[in-house]
Amino acid sequence: MNYRHVYHAGNFADVLKHAVLARLVTYMQGKDKAFRVLDTHAGVGFYDLSGVEAQKTGEWRDGIGRLLDGDLPAGVADILAPYLKVVHELNPQGGLTYYPGSPKLARMLFRPQDRLSAMELHPDDYETLHRLFDGDFQSRITHLDGWLSLGAHLPPKEKRGIVLVDPPFEIEGEYERLVDGLEKAVRRFPGGVYCLWYPLKKGAPIAQFHAALKATGIAKMLCAELSVKSDRETTGLTGSGLIVVNPPFTLKAELDVLLPFLKARLAQDRFASARSFWLAGENKAS
């Protein structure tokens, strides 16, 4: 309950997470039928990068700031277009003052038939999030432990959806909770698209986490990871990963274009790295 994302809004981890989320939303809109985005750990939804908290760390400067600093190759520009469209719409005067959290990003990409369910447990952050979406009939904001929503709020009545699970990793056992939560959710909503975020840092049990995910027997799981620096001299965040369950068939090829670019643009030292691969499903050995 101490984690406040405002200190990290727009950093390199947000860039990867939000670029992929925007692609998932866009893909779901390939069909006319409505869908729902369930955001289990939604935060406040909207960030002022000129505020005291964001300025204190300035992490956005090495994330979204670098992404906007310079031209983008054509293929990368196409992949990032939905994400950057929202960022530019929030900053109509140019520059970079405001940044969307995941619920705001998804909502700004919605069609009239699409819906948002956003969960937030922190009381102050819930109130801020609730005010942000007050009066918006396409959005439902709930004061709830997001882990509980993986049982109570699935399947969505639309029968189509994206489930974003982005916990703060404040306590021990969050990797295990991700696996357990995913298993529970997939039993209730097997056709959903799931996007699980996790941190990369020194000593993180990534191999065990991946093995536990494989052991679930879930048929299609795609992994994307981006590290911007070595973990040798820091115990802090050096990278992040995403597990996408039931990914769009186009996503692996898009990641193969996007990740090398993000590695080059966002690198903080020569040990930056990026990879995408199938944990389960298509071309597992790639």
Side-chain angles (χ1 to χ4, degrees):
M1 294 284 286
N2 294 316
Y3 178 86
R4 309 305 291 273
H5 191 68
V6 64
Y7 291 101
H8 314 289
N11 69 0
F12 65 85
D14 266 2
V15 168
L16 176 61
K17 176 178 64 181
H18 289 153
V20 170
L21 176 61
R23 296 308 300 169
L24 296 178
V25 170
T26 302
Y27 179 83
M28 295 292 284
Q29 293 171 341
K31 295 182 178 179
D32 290 336
K33 289 184 178 180
F35 66 91
R36 185 173 294 269
V37 171
L38 171 61
D39 192 337
T40 64
H41 298 76
V44 301
F46 180 76
Y47 301 95
D48 181 353
L49 300 181
S50 68
V52 173
E53 297 92 342
Q55 288 291 322
K56 184 176 181 179
T57 60
E59 289 186 19
W60 60 271
R61 294 187 179 91
D62 285 328
I64 185 62
R66 287 199 196 181
L67 200 63
L68 299 179
D69 185 17
D71 295 333
L72 302 176
V76 170
D78 290 342
I79 295 168
L80 291 175
Y83 167 43
L84 295 183
K85 172 179 177 288
V86 171
V87 174
H88 290 311
E89 286 178 356
L90 289 176
N91 297 276
Q93 306 303 317
L96 184 59
T97 302
Y98 301 112
Y99 187 79
S102 301
K104 183 69 170 177
L105 173 67
R107 178 63 184 89
M108 289 182 68
L109 292 170
F110 278 178
R111 306 163 301 178
Q113 65 266 44
D114 303 326
R115 297 292 185 268
L116 170 71
S117 291
M119 312 296 156
E120 179 52 47
L121 181 60
H122 192 290
D124 294 339
D125 288 356
Y126 162 74
E127 291 296 338
T128 301
L129 184 68
H130 190 269
R131 287 194 299 271
L132 179 65
F133 289 99
D134 189 33
D136 179 6
F137 74 92
Q138 289 182 245
S139 302
R140 182 173 66 180
I141 312 303
T142 305
H143 187 204
L144 182 72
D145 182 345
W147 294 110
L148 299 178
S149 68
L150 295 175
H153 290 258
L154 294 176
K157 66 180 182 179
E158 295 82 5
K159 306 303 181 186
R160 303 179 68 226
I162 300 166
V163 181
L164 176 64
V165 188
D166 177 20
F169 280 82
E170 283 188 302
I171 60 176
E172 292 292 325
E174 293 286 62
Y175 292 95
E176 292 81 2
R177 291 184 82 183
L178 269 181
V179 177
D180 293 342
L182 177 64
E183 282 192 292
K184 178 190 297 182
V186 168
R187 282 196 296 269
R188 296 180 63 91
F189 184 35
V193 176
Y194 297 85
C195 186
L196 315 181
W197 183 90
Y198 59 96
L200 299 176
K201 58 176 68 175
K202 189 172 184 176
I206 303 304
Q208 298 94 314
F209 174 55
H210 287 173
L213 285 168
K214 291 179 184 179
T216 65
I218 293 170
K220 278 194 172 185
M221 291 187 287
L222 180 62
C223 179
E225 291 185 342
L226 171 68
S227 293
V228 297
K229 59 183 177 181
S230 168
D231 63 9
R232 296 176 186 176
E233 297 180 2
T234 179
T235 57
L237 189 72
T238 57
S240 69
L242 296 172
I243 302 295
V244 184
V245 175
N246 298 325
F249 74 94
T250 55
L251 186 60
K252 177 63 167 71
E254 291 181 349
L255 288 172
D256 288 344
V257 173
L258 179 62
L259 285 172
F261 167 80
L262 292 181
K263 171 190 168 184
R265 181 66 65 92
L266 303 183
Q268 296 182 22
D269 68 23
R270 64 187 180 91
F271 296 102
S273 63
R275 61 176 183 161
S276 68
F277 60 96
W278 290 98
L279 269 178
E282 301 178 28
N283 305 317
K284 287 189 291 185
S286 66

